[in-house]
Amino acid sequence: MTAAPPADVAARATAGFRQRYGGEPAGRWAAPGRVNLIGEHTDYNDGFVLPFALPLRTVVAATSRNDARWTVWSELDAAPVEFGPADVDEPGRVTGWAAYVAGVVWALRAAGHTVPGARLAVASDVPVGAGLSSSAAIEAAVLAALVDLGGLHLPTDRWPRLAQRAENDYVGAPTGIMDQSAVIRGRSGHALLLDCRTEEIEQIPFDLALAGLAMLVIDSRAPHRHADGEYAARRRSCERAARTLGVPALRDVNITDLDAALPKLPDDETRRRVRHVVTEDQRVLDTAVLLRAGLIGDVGPLLTASHASMRDDFEITVPEVDIAVEAALAAGAYGARMTGGGFGGCVLALIEASAADAVAAAVATAYAERGFAAPGPVTVFPTGGVTRLD
């Protein structure tokens, strides 16, 4: 019930490269998945988020080639995908999982960089569709590989925005900047407090092991569709509400002004959407205060309140995640919440490290009683961001 060592994933990427292309890769680059401790749907509202990088990793083994073409193989798909400049320069020509790779090439080219042709092999332990940002992990690992292979001059503080552009403008998924920031700039033993407007970051101490705690991440097995219409509808609703309130973004509605702002909105649904975003921003800031003071266990009630807000005001949970939260809390978790864009995905539960098996068993029992597919629990701790392995 712990994450596989990164070396295992790297070995699979290398084996895939040898089998597909022959010879050895020039290097291997790894990027983590991420879990968001708190701060859901605040990122595209210019607000605050507090994610951390996971020990679950995506690894890209790669080498350059002499022509301006890119071939990418994934262990999830037997057939490699190859594309050239004409495919890259027209979003929509490359589809499926390979679009995330093509999107990075496109974003680099659009930023004026000469991108080397490359052969790439991808292996990953970041589950697809679970809300742990498998897309940002592959974007970051591919980006790191291409920057190194091409000797590109691109400071790492510019990487998150470029990777986000690949996902937004090439793939067509309307994500904020949080995912890419977490997988690129994460630090071991810390959560990343990100101001999504200024892109300023603060590494917040979050040493779970030192406190005798752990984070149990539970894959609900309910499919997570990040680019679907519901996510986009929530974003449009928030943008319309900001215009109605006369502010650049909902981040500009202070918690103390919330009661006065809500009656100005046209309907109850919009009011609930705004209430979630404004109160969630405040929960992020309150969580950061507690973590700076070393009071990790005290953030539990904030996590649980975040889930209730997502369930009742933002309406993005599903029965599987609600049941997982309820079962984890009943089994003694300090707090629990859904994490990710919603409509499936994962639940995180803050627990005593020694209670991981008991809490996971309680969730499994609750699932079995309702006929749900068995959940997938894994115990995680904050780890570092994207890196070159060799």
Side-chain angles (χ1 to χ4, degrees):
M1 198 162 59
T2 56
D8 293 350
V9 191
R12 300 204 311 266
T14 301
F17 187 95
R18 291 169 179 158
Q19 180 180 4
R20 178 52 54 186
Y21 306 117
E24 298 295 316
R28 298 179 298 179
W29 294 260
R34 69 96 187 96
V35 69
N36 191 21
L37 180 62
I38 195 165
E40 227 61 77
H41 289 264
T42 52
D43 55 348
Y44 56 78
N45 286 294
D46 280 1
F48 302 92
V49 292
L50 193 60
F52 63 90
L54 296 171
L56 300 166
R57 298 258 153 174
T58 293
V59 176
V60 170
T63 192
S64 58
R65 53 190 286 177
N66 294 327
D67 56 357
R69 295 189 67 80
W70 298 269
T71 306
V72 58
W73 169 88
S74 167
E75 63 181 354
L76 299 178
D77 189 349
V81 177
E82 182 167 330
F83 50 88
D87 305 304
V88 168
D89 292 344
E90 185 178 335
R93 290 278 295 270
V94 181
T95 60
W97 63 268
Y100 294 99
V101 180
V104 171
V105 176
W106 172 82
L108 282 167
R109 286 165 60 88
H113 298 283
T114 301
V115 185
R119 296 181 177 89
L120 308 100
V122 182
S124 183
D125 279 343
V126 184
V128 175
L132 300 181
S133 207
S134 59
S135 58
I138 190 171
E139 289 159 5
V142 169
L143 177 58
L146 294 177
V147 166
D148 280 358
L149 291 174
L152 308 183
H153 298 290
L154 186 65
T156 54
D157 61 359
R158 292 175 54 195
W159 290 19
R161 186 61 71 184
L162 189 147
Q164 183 204 15
R165 190 177 180 205
E167 189 151 352
N168 287 178
D169 298 339
Y170 193 92
V171 179
T175 61
I177 194 67
M178 173 184 66
D179 295 353
Q180 292 80 9
S181 295
V183 305
I184 290 168
R185 308 181 77 177
R187 180 185 297 175
S188 180
H190 291 74
L192 184 79
L193 178 61
L194 171 66
D195 182 329
C196 295
R197 170 172 287 168
T198 67
E199 298 183 29
E200 293 178 356
I201 65 168
E202 179 184 351
Q203 299 286 353
I204 303 291
F206 189 48
D207 195 333
L208 290 164
L210 184 64
L213 302 175
M215 191 65 71
L216 185 66
V217 175
I218 305 161
D219 186 347
S220 71
R221 307 298 196 201
H224 174 90
R225 299 177 180 88
H226 209 117
D228 69 3
E230 291 291 347
Y231 183 104
R234 297 303 187 280
R235 184 166 186 162
R236 289 193 299 270
S237 178
C238 291
E239 292 167 348
R240 287 195 300 267
R243 289 194 295 271
T244 299
L245 295 172
V247 294
L250 292 183
R251 176 249 184 78
D252 298 294
V253 180
N254 191 282
I255 190 70
T256 59
D257 300 326
L258 180 60
D259 287 344
L262 293 179
K264 300 175 183 178
L265 297 167
D267 55 75
D268 184 62
E269 180 180 282
T270 304
R271 287 189 282 273
R272 286 185 283 112
R273 304 292 187 258
V274 170
R275 183 167 57 212
H276 165 74
V277 173
V278 175
T279 58
E280 186 79 345
D281 264 335
Q282 188 61 48
R283 283 187 288 269
V284 174
L285 298 177
D286 291 345
T287 298
V289 169
L290 291 171
L291 294 183
R292 291 189 195 102
L295 302 174
I296 297 178
D298 289 1
V299 309
L302 292 167
L303 304 183
T304 305
S306 172
H307 184 81
S309 182
M310 290 187 287
R311 182 192 64 215
D312 301 335
D313 280 349
F314 223 62
E315 297 180 293
I316 55 174
T317 71
V318 295
E320 290 92 335
V321 299
D322 291 334
I323 292 300
V325 167
E326 293 170 11
L329 292 172
Y334 287 87
R337 65 184 289 272
M338 186 195 72
T339 185
F343 311 103
C346 284
V347 164
L348 58 82
L350 180 62
I351 59 173
E352 294 284 347
S354 59
D357 289 339
V359 175
V363 175
T365 297
Y367 267 45
E369 290 173 349
R370 291 161 177 82
F372 295 156
V378 60
T379 304
V380 300
F381 299 89
T383 189
V386 65
T387 186
R388 181 169 185 167
L389 299 178
D390 52 31

